[in-house]
Each structure stands twice: as C-alpha cells, then as structure tokens.
Amino acid sequence: MSSDVQLADIQAAAARIAGIAHRTPVLTSRSFDAVAGASVFFKCENFQRGGAFKIRGASNFIYSIPKDQLSRGVVTYSSGNHAQAVAIAAASVGIQATIVMPDDAPKSKMAATRGYGARVVTYDRLHEDREAIGRRISEETGATVVPPFDHPWTIAGQGTVALELLAEVQDLDALVVQIGGGGLISGCSIAAKALNPSIRIFGVEPEDGNDTYLSRRAGERVEIPMPQTIADGLRSPKPGAITFPIVQKHVEDIILVSDDEIRDTMKFLLARMKIVVEPSGAVPAAALYHRKLPKELKKIGAIVSGGNVDLEFLQRLGN
Amino acid sequence: MSSDVQLADIQAAAARIAGIAHRTPVLTSRSFDAVAGASVFFKCENFQRGGAFKIRGASNFIYSIPKDQLSRGVVTYSSGNHAQAVAIAAASVGIQATIVMPDDAPKSKMAATRGYGARVVTYDRLHEDREAIGRRISEETGATVVPPFDHPWTIAGQGTVALELLAEVQDLDALVVQIGGGGLISGCSIAAKALNPSIRIFGVEPEDGNDTYLSRRAGERVEIPMPQTIADGLRSPKPGAITFPIVQKHVEDIILVSDDEIRDTMKFLLARMKIVVEPSGAVPAAALYHRKLPKELKKIGAIVSGGNVDLEFLQRLGN
C-alpha cells in the first residue's frame, strides 16, 4: 500500500477487522436536533471494543504486518485508547504487545492493559523519551512499532467508521470529525468523499489543541506547545506528515470548541441521550450543540469517538 | 380486542406506533458477558423516545381510541415515564393530555411534561387520591384515562420491545424482564413465546417491590405496602388483574435483586458499557450481573427499560 489511501484500502480494512471490531450503532436524538437546528446522526464509537474507535486502526495495522515479522510482536507508546486497542488486537492473534506508559499513569489503566495480556514498560515522564524507549524495544526484540495515526494502514482502519456510517445513513450534507493527529478524519474523509463526492467535511479541534487549525492557516505543519485541553485524546502538538495533506485536500473548514463547550455537551449527551462520551469524543457534538457549523447543513453525521472517562469526571460535570 | 392479547395484536401495535417510537439498538458487551457467564443482548429502551419504553404502550393505547372519543383528550396520573409518554403521544395526534402529578414532583419533570404540550394538574399527595382526581377529570371533560399497564392495548404496545429484540437476535435461551405492574413482561412474554415457544421467561423485581413474587407464591394477587426501592418505576404494590394471569402462564421464575445490587450494576453499565440506565432499567441486568439465573442459560435477552435518572443520582454512584 502506498501512502495514498483509497476507498478500496478502507473496504479491505473493513473485511480484515470484521472479526474484532464491532459495527457500532448510529443514534439520533430529537432533543439534540432541536438544539443543533439540524438532523444529526451520531456514529457511536464509545460502544466500540476497548471503548473507542482506535481498535479499527490498530487491528488493521497489526493484521497487515507480514507473518514472520508479526511473530516478533508489537510495541507502542501511549497511555490512552490506542494502547488498549493495540493490546486487544495483539492478543487476538496471540502475539506479544509491549506498551510504554508513563510511571504515573493511572493504576487502573495499567491493570486494564495488562489484563489484555500486554507487557507494560514504564518510564519517567520528566526525564525519559517514550519514543526512544519504544524504538529501543523495537530494535532489541524485532517488535513492530504501531503508530497511533500517521500511517496508511492506521488511516485505512479508522476510515471504516465513515464506511459504516454512510452505508447506514444516506445523503448526508456533512460529516463532522474530531482532529488529534488526524488519522480518524483522514480515513473518514477519504471514505466519505469517495462514496458521496458532494459531502462536506468539517474538522473540530479543542481551542487549546488547534495545531491543525493553525497549520491550515500557515499552509504547512505547525507545532504548538503540548495542549492542556480536557480532550486528552486530542492533545496532539502537530498534524501528521501523511494526515495533513489529506486534511488539506478534503476538509472544508476547522472549527474550534472550548473546554466549557465540551463539558456542556458531555452533560447533555449524558442527561438527555443517555450515553457516556469522553471529552475528545464529544468535540464534534460540541460544535453542533453550539451551532458553529454553516446554517444550511440539515443532515449531518458526527463521530462520537470514545467513551473512556472516569466516573469522577462525570460527577464533576453535574456541578 | 379482548383481554386475551395475541401475537397479532402486538404486530398490529408495531405497525401503529412505527411513526412515533424508535426502533432501539441492541447492545452487547464482552466485559458484561464475562461477569454474567453468558452472552447477553441488551434491548436499550433508555434510548427510546421520552427515555423509556412507555411510549410504546401509551401511543398504542391512544392511537386505538375511537376518533370521536379521542378528540376529547386523555388523562393519566403519574409522575414518571408514563406521564411523559402520554404527553408525547397525545401531542403527536394534536389532542389535549392532562397529567395528574403530586405537587411535590420535581419542577424539572413538571416543566418537561408541560414542554410536550400537556396540562399538569397537581394534587396533595397526603390528602388527595390521584385516581379519584383522574376519574373526575375524565367525567367532566370526556377525556379517556390512559392506564399505565393493566390494559390489552398497553400490553400489546409494550410487547413490541420483544418483537424487535427477537427479530434482531435469534435463538435466545431466555428473556429477562423487570416487573412493576407487569405490562412490559406481559406483552414481551406473549410475543417471545409465540415466536419461540422454547424461550424461557424470567421476571425480576426489587426485593422491596416483590408483589408479583409474593403473589405467585400465594397463587393469587397480593398487595404489599407501597415499596421504597430506588427502582422508582417498579414501585407497584399489586400485580394487575390482566397482567397477573399472563405472568402466571408464561413466566418461569421471579428473581429478586437488592438496591445495592441495582446500584453496582448501574455503575458497571455506566463505566464499562457507556450507557445511562435508571434504577428500574437496570433490574434485569442486576440479576445477570449477580449470576442469579440458571447457569445453563447461555444466550440471554435483557431489557433496559429506561434511562431517566438525575445526574445527582449518578454522581452518588461513584462514591
């Protein structure tokens, strides 16, 4: 596969991951629509295996590794949804996954990752470089590094989200997708534009994680200080080398939402739609809830990318 | 329609209510299954319009009222999900709904009911009889009383929950349903047994709302003091005259769950399955989560009847 991901690659990914990823439901809500002023179709990846869409890209990547290489295992560095996804996908084919995590990561996350059979290697966040540790483990063991977003196999896997959504809901005016490193919006915009060339694609970033927004204004990839937004899954300082040109090609505009807007929206999704959505997962919904999209859009797909949030966080939402 | 509800009545109800009730998704969870020791298919009526299954019975009832009578409106007494369901169904055909509510009902519930266009009549819970007030309004205005459970039209409407579940999931060993007045389990057991005669039906009640459990032991309808369980939707003191014989005929056993078991289960559903379920809605899941069903059952349908719970309640779950 070249770095030029096509619809056929995404369709092949869908077949490859059918045994491990759920086909997630699409939910609608009249009360949300009334606030948003449009019919919104939520693709609910919070119900995905591992609690987020990441299993799609991780499993498509791992299942695409040649067999002799695959047997030497995989390694990744993440304390988030990608780590769990790699652990689950590796376990499904019986290979060793090594996850490099900061030594102050929540014990519950380490335990969950080990629960999937992965080996956890911890590092000191202040004095060590996780990528260097990952590379060293890869060199020593022959394990393949599984990138979280900037790879054609990962992008093709994430694109299956839009493939499923557009198969279920026809004639969407627009698709709204959160942007961290850009893997999800890259795959989804390729799939959506191939199936429906007139669909309009909007990216949404947290105000304090606006690297792609700034990069578009600059016309080239810009790096920002590590974002502090509550949308922890979108704390990416720089768009990917592969994802950014795809965003440039397919995405009409990038919308920013504040942490308060994300919280408001999470609360509405919880209280009225009865779903638990993590801050990163609620970012497209927040743009719609606060009517930040063009008014003429009447039938809109929005991705709820994940639901992994501590109960304590939800408790604070109520206050 | 006689009081003898048949599959055909439930199928007719499904056609009648198709424009107002959602076809709700069926969710599964590997982590729940691991705890329960079985494959569980959750029919998620917490995503239903109005946040609970009640819209099915209420709309089937209202749409079955002869036209000249219907124009005089409907009346019901409830501070719960049935009230909202009646208000929504009445608004959908442009008739007046009057809801009799205690004057200490949460202001938010009164506002929501009025928001659907219903008239709210309040009463003093300690000194007045809500049924008498309902009857008086009915006599004065000609409005039809919409019963919450003990009527063939209501039962047929609620049975559409099982109709949808069994159309989507084949070969269930068992179906597990919460019991308040018995409308939901009556309709669902009739539909399920007609479509799959070998399916086993289990009812679940809160320990402090065990009127149907005691009635089965006594062989006749027993009345208990008004239950105090957190499962507020199941605070029924006595099974229905129409529902109880149906439960006697189709339900194999009735299982009891404690309020603590309901809380545990709500917390798991929230944290791991990412869904908001009200206490009454979590009662069948609680029986499965605490392995109270026969071990040989391996493929089980369970109804999540609603999701209307205050955020404050969810906040207390975390502690």
Side-chain angles (χ1 to χ4, degrees):
Chain A
M1 189 192 281
S2 77
S3 76
D4 183 25
V5 180
Q6 309 279 349
L7 176 63
D9 301 313
I10 299 169
Q11 289 166 328
R16 206 175 279 125
I17 70 174
I20 188 166
H22 292 317
R23 189 182 180 94
T24 51
V26 176
L27 294 185
T28 59
S29 159
R30 287 170 198 251
S31 48
F32 189 92
D33 290 357
V35 179
S39 295
V40 182
F41 296 82
F42 290 103
K43 177 66 172 167
C44 286
E45 291 291 300
N46 53 331
F47 300 141
Q48 187 51 267
R49 209 154 155 210
F53 73 98
K54 289 283 187 180
I55 188 71
R56 297 175 182 266
S59 60
N60 189 52
F61 188 98
I62 289 175
Y63 298 173
S64 299
I65 299 172
K67 226 171 191 169
D68 56 330
Q69 187 183 336
L70 182 63
S71 64
R72 292 194 292 274
V74 291
V75 58
T76 198
Y77 30 83
S78 162
S79 54
N81 293 332
H82 178 61
Q84 312 249 346
V86 168
I88 295 169
S92 76
V93 286
I95 60 158
Q96 179 70 62
T98 303
I99 315 291
V100 182
M101 280 189 169
D103 51 18
D104 60 351
K107 295 276 171 279
S108 60
K109 278 204 174 169
M110 287 194 199
T113 306
R114 288 198 186 98
Y116 291 122
R119 184 167 73 108
V120 173
V121 172
T122 59
Y123 70 98
D124 177 341
R125 197 200 286 269
L126 296 176
H127 302 102
E128 292 183 287
D129 172 8
R130 65 180 194 171
E131 294 194 29
I133 296 172
R135 274 195 306 273
R136 202 191 63 223
I137 292 170
S138 172
E139 283 158 15
E140 285 172 8
T141 64
T144 307
V145 176
V146 185
F149 57 87
D150 210 24
H151 191 284
W153 295 345
T154 312
I155 292 168
Q158 317 305 29
T160 60
V161 174
L163 211 58
E164 290 178 8
L165 175 58
L166 270 73
E168 193 162 335
V169 188
Q170 275 76 51
D171 302 322
L172 288 174
D173 297 330
L175 180 63
V176 190
V177 188
Q178 46 279 84
I179 305 183
L184 181 62
I185 197 168
S186 291
C188 285
S189 62
I190 291 166
K193 283 284 189 183
L195 293 168
N196 173 9
S198 68
I199 199 168
R200 296 165 66 180
I201 313 284
F202 295 85
V204 191
E205 287 188 305
E207 283 177 357
D208 187 42
N210 61 348
D211 52 305
T212 302
Y213 174 89
L214 293 176
S215 297
R216 278 172 65 99
R217 279 219 314 214
E220 59 177 2
R221 293 194 296 146
V222 165
E223 183 159 357
I224 62 172
M226 186 57 74
Q228 297 301 314
T229 168
I230 58 165
D232 53 340
L234 307 180
R235 286 181 195 148
S236 153
K238 191 179 179 182
I242 297 175
T243 57
F244 185 62
I246 300 171
V247 169
Q248 286 286 60
K249 184 174 174 189
H250 290 307
V251 176
E252 176 174 330
D253 200 6
I254 296 187
I255 292 154
L256 301 178
V257 294
S258 71
D259 280 7
D260 280 347
E261 287 169 340
I262 295 170
R263 275 192 206 93
D264 281 358
T265 307
M266 287 176 70
K267 192 169 169 177
F268 188 94
L269 296 175
L270 191 71
R272 302 297 296 270
M273 286 189 63
K274 319 299 180 190
I275 58 174
V276 176
V277 179
E278 63 184 82
S280 306
V283 159
L288 290 160
Y289 188 77
H290 292 279
R291 298 209 180 200
K292 297 193 171 193
L293 273 97
K295 281 186 181 47
E296 68 271 21
L297 302 173
K298 288 302 167 200
K299 192 172 177 183
I300 303 174
I303 296 176
V304 171
S305 58
N308 292 327
V309 54
D310 290 340
L311 276 184
E312 289 70 30
F313 190 99
L314 297 183
Q315 282 160 24
R316 289 196 303 271
L317 277 184
N319 306 326
Chain B
M1 186 193 283
S2 77
S3 77
D4 183 24
V5 180
Q6 309 279 351
L7 176 62
D9 301 313
I10 299 169
Q11 288 166 329
R16 207 174 280 125
I17 70 174
I20 187 166
H22 292 317
R23 190 183 179 94
T24 52
V26 175
L27 294 185
T28 60
S29 159
R30 288 169 198 252
S31 48
F32 189 92
D33 290 356
V35 179
S39 295
V40 182
F41 296 83
F42 290 103
K43 178 65 172 166
C44 287
E45 291 290 299
N46 52 333
F47 299 141
Q48 186 51 267
R49 211 154 154 208
F53 73 99
K54 290 283 188 180
I55 187 71
R56 297 174 182 268
S59 60
N60 189 52
F61 188 97
I62 289 174
Y63 297 173
S64 298
I65 299 172
K67 229 174 188 164
D68 56 330
Q69 187 183 335
L70 182 63
S71 64
R72 291 194 293 274
V74 292
V75 59
T76 197
Y77 30 83
S78 161
S79 55
N81 292 332
H82 177 63
Q84 311 247 348
V86 168
I88 295 169
S92 77
V93 286
I95 60 158
Q96 179 70 61
T98 303
I99 314 292
V100 182
M101 281 188 168
D103 52 17
D104 61 350
K107 295 277 170 283
S108 61
K109 278 204 175 168
M110 288 194 199
T113 306
R114 287 198 186 97
Y116 291 122
R119 183 168 72 110
V120 173
V121 171
T122 59
Y123 69 99
D124 177 343
R125 196 201 286 269
L126 297 174
H127 302 104
E128 291 182 287
D129 172 8
R130 65 180 193 171
E131 295 194 29
I133 296 172
R135 273 195 306 273
R136 201 190 64 223
I137 292 170
S138 171
E139 283 157 18
E140 286 171 8
T141 63
T144 307
V145 175
V146 185
F149 57 86
D150 210 24
H151 191 285
W153 294 345
T154 312
I155 292 168
Q158 317 305 29
T160 60
V161 174
L163 209 60
E164 289 178 8
L165 175 58
L166 270 73
E168 192 163 336
V169 188
Q170 276 76 52
D171 303 323
L172 287 175
D173 298 329
L175 180 63
V176 191
V177 188
Q178 46 278 84
I179 304 183
L184 181 62
I185 197 167
S186 292
C188 285
S189 63
I190 290 166
K193 284 283 188 183
L195 293 168
N196 173 10
S198 68
I199 199 168
R200 296 165 66 180
I201 314 282
F202 294 84
V204 191
E205 287 187 307
E207 283 177 358
D208 188 43
N210 61 348
D211 53 305
T212 302
Y213 175 87
L214 293 176
S215 297
R216 276 172 67 97
R217 279 219 313 214
E220 60 178 0
R221 294 195 296 146
V222 165
E223 183 159 359
I224 61 173
M226 187 55 76
Q228 296 302 315
T229 168
I230 58 166
D232 53 341
L234 307 180
R235 286 181 195 148
S236 153
K238 191 179 181 183
I242 297 176
T243 59
F244 186 62
I246 301 172
V247 170
Q248 286 287 60
K249 183 173 175 191
H250 289 308
V251 175
E252 177 174 328
D253 200 5
I254 296 187
I255 293 155
L256 301 179
V257 293
S258 71
D259 280 6
D260 280 348
E261 288 169 340
I262 295 169
R263 274 193 208 93
D264 281 358
T265 307
M266 286 176 70
K267 192 169 168 178
F268 187 94
L269 296 174
L270 191 71
R272 301 296 295 272
M273 286 188 63
K274 321 297 181 191
I275 57 175
V276 176
V277 180
E278 64 185 81
S280 305
V283 159
L288 290 161
Y289 189 76
H290 292 280
R291 296 208 181 204
K292 297 192 170 194
L293 273 98
K295 282 188 181 49
E296 68 270 21
L297 301 173
K298 289 301 168 203
K299 192 172 178 184
I300 304 174
I303 296 176
V304 171
S305 59
N308 291 327
V309 53
D310 290 341
L311 276 184
E312 290 69 29
F313 190 100
L314 297 182
Q315 282 161 22
R316 289 197 303 272
L317 277 184
N319 303 326

